[in-house]
Amino acid sequence: MDSLILVLHKALGYLETIRFSDVVDIAIIAYLIYKLLRFAKAQAGQVLKGIAALIILMWAASLLDLHVLNYLLTNALEIGFLAIIVVFQPEIRHFLEQMGSSGLTSVFGRHEANVDELERAIDETVEAYAAMSKSKTGALTVFERGSILDDCIKTGTALDASVSAELLKNIFFVKAPLHDGAVIVRAGRIVGAGCVLPLSSNTNISKELGMRHRAGIGATEHTDALAVICSEETGSISVATNGTLRRHLAPETLRRMLRNELLPQEKLDEKKDLLSLSLATLRESWRGRKGEQEEHEDVE
């Protein structure tokens, strides 16, 4: 008991030395680590995981006095920092552009303003693909997430337009000049059309799939993007994520997949709570009416 009181007394002593600036400092560092871990979940973040493995290996080499290995890893890490700037050049530029145009709130804030637009973009995309599936119109739409697709956008025509079913159907119309490329959607808005995507190098892909499907899979192999494909041969709708393809999707299945993959989790939880509340209200209303009806029958 005395030891516990002593520990608590020391802890209170440490707390008294903490300043407000220390709390702010720790909060900023914690948030930056959180953002870094979220970025590491993306496919591009594999580079960060490799660097972390190098640092751990270098620490182990230093601990075990492996001088040659430690020397090689130290120099490799120094070169690696220059490589990071080259590999993540689109992400760094996008970060700096966001900071310059909208300030720190756009970089570190939660982009709640885009959620409603993204939700509307999902509904419009599903409507467009349902129509294009019936008419067997080939289409490829890529939803950008954490990984920046500026290099792909440069290969096509840069746009800045809201996603609408009519616009998508016009872009992918067989005689339209941009119908052969991909449409890229960022934060619920179309930012590029007629874009060229890297083809998948996976040799196990079915021979039935054409270049449009291979491009959709290829775009998701090295990034965390999501690709929606409509086959011009069969009208089948497919979704590619993380280098895998789900085929023959119904429009409602497509809507559910896009909402689960693209909308923030808290938004989905809010919708579920609202739906549960609505169902509960309808259930109580139905029970009330049923009770009134039975009471009326008893009176008769």
Side-chain angles (χ1 to χ4, degrees):
M1 188 66 180
D2 292 337
S3 60
L4 179 60
I5 293 174
L6 183 61
V7 169
L8 291 175
H9 182 71
K10 287 184 178 180
L12 289 173
Y14 287 128
L15 289 175
E16 289 176 355
T17 62
I18 296 176
R19 300 169 299 173
F20 178 74
S21 58
D22 296 328
V23 176
V24 174
D25 193 16
I26 293 171
I28 292 174
I29 295 299
Y31 187 76
L32 289 175
I33 293 173
Y34 165 73
K35 297 291 282 187
L36 188 65
L37 291 175
R38 284 199 63 181
F39 176 71
K41 289 176 66 178
Q43 198 70 16
Q46 297 296 329
V47 178
L48 293 179
K49 294 177 183 178
I51 293 172
L54 276 177
I55 292 173
I56 294 172
L57 189 59
M58 188 172 63
W59 172 78
S62 176
L63 191 65
L64 298 172
D65 292 328
L66 305 176
H67 300 294
V68 177
L69 182 60
N70 190 29
Y71 172 79
L72 293 174
L73 290 174
T74 301
N75 285 276
L77 196 61
E78 290 177 358
I79 298 172
F81 282 115
L82 294 176
I84 287 176
I85 299 175
V86 176
V87 172
F88 295 137
Q89 184 266 338
E91 283 80 5
I92 294 171
R93 188 180 66 188
H94 184 67
F95 180 89
L96 294 176
E97 286 176 351
Q98 265 194 317
M99 185 181 293
S101 61
S102 304
L104 290 174
T105 54
S106 66
V107 177
F108 297 111
R110 301 164 63 87
H111 303 276
E112 295 294 341
N114 293 330
V115 173
D116 291 336
E117 189 167 14
L118 182 57
E119 193 171 8
R120 192 179 67 81
I122 290 172
D123 293 336
E124 294 290 334
T125 301
V126 172
E127 182 182 341
Y129 271 76
M132 291 188 291
S133 176
K134 292 179 181 178
S135 61
K136 294 185 179 180
T137 301
L140 172 56
T141 303
V142 177
F143 287 87
E144 182 186 271
R145 291 195 274 188
S147 303
I148 306 300
L149 303 177
D150 282 351
D151 289 339
C152 296
I153 295 171
K154 290 177 183 176
T155 63
T157 301
L159 298 174
D160 183 16
S162 298
V163 179
S164 70
E166 294 303 320
L167 179 57
L168 288 175
K169 288 188 285 186
N170 275 283
I171 289 174
F172 292 119
F173 178 64
V174 68
K175 294 184 179 180
L178 301 176
H179 80 280
D180 274 335
V183 164
I184 297 179
V185 178
R186 172 185 294 166
R189 295 184 66 82
I190 296 176
V191 293
C195 301
V196 179
L197 303 178
L199 296 180
S200 173
S201 57
N202 188 352
T203 57
N204 296 322
I205 295 177
S206 173
K207 302 298 182 182
E208 300 175 0
L209 302 177
M211 292 299 178
R212 185 174 283 109
H213 288 81
R214 292 178 182 273
I217 297 172
T220 66
E221 284 178 341
H222 304 292
T223 71
D224 62 346
L226 180 146
V228 186
I229 309 114
C230 183
S231 171
E232 62 183 338
E233 286 82 15
T234 63
S236 174
I237 300 174
S238 305
V239 170
T241 53
N242 299 320
T244 60
L245 187 71
R246 289 191 60 182
R247 303 173 62 187
H248 309 298
L249 302 178
E252 283 306 313
T253 306
L254 173 63
R255 187 192 309 277
R256 186 166 60 252
M257 282 191 66
L258 292 180
R259 291 178 65 86
N260 289 337
E261 292 286 343
L262 300 176
L263 289 181
Q265 188 60 43
E266 53 268 24
K267 183 72 174 178
L268 293 175
D269 293 339
E270 180 184 333
K271 290 287 184 181
K272 289 178 181 177
D273 292 341
L274 185 60
L275 180 60
S276 300
L277 181 61
S278 300
L279 290 175
T281 304
L282 289 174
R283 194 181 297 113
E284 291 297 327
S285 176
W286 181 78
R287 287 177 179 174
R289 290 182 180 179
K290 185 177 180 181
E292 290 177 359
Q293 184 178 1
E294 290 176 353
E295 184 179 352
H296 181 69
E297 290 176 353
D298 291 340
V299 171
E300 292 179 348

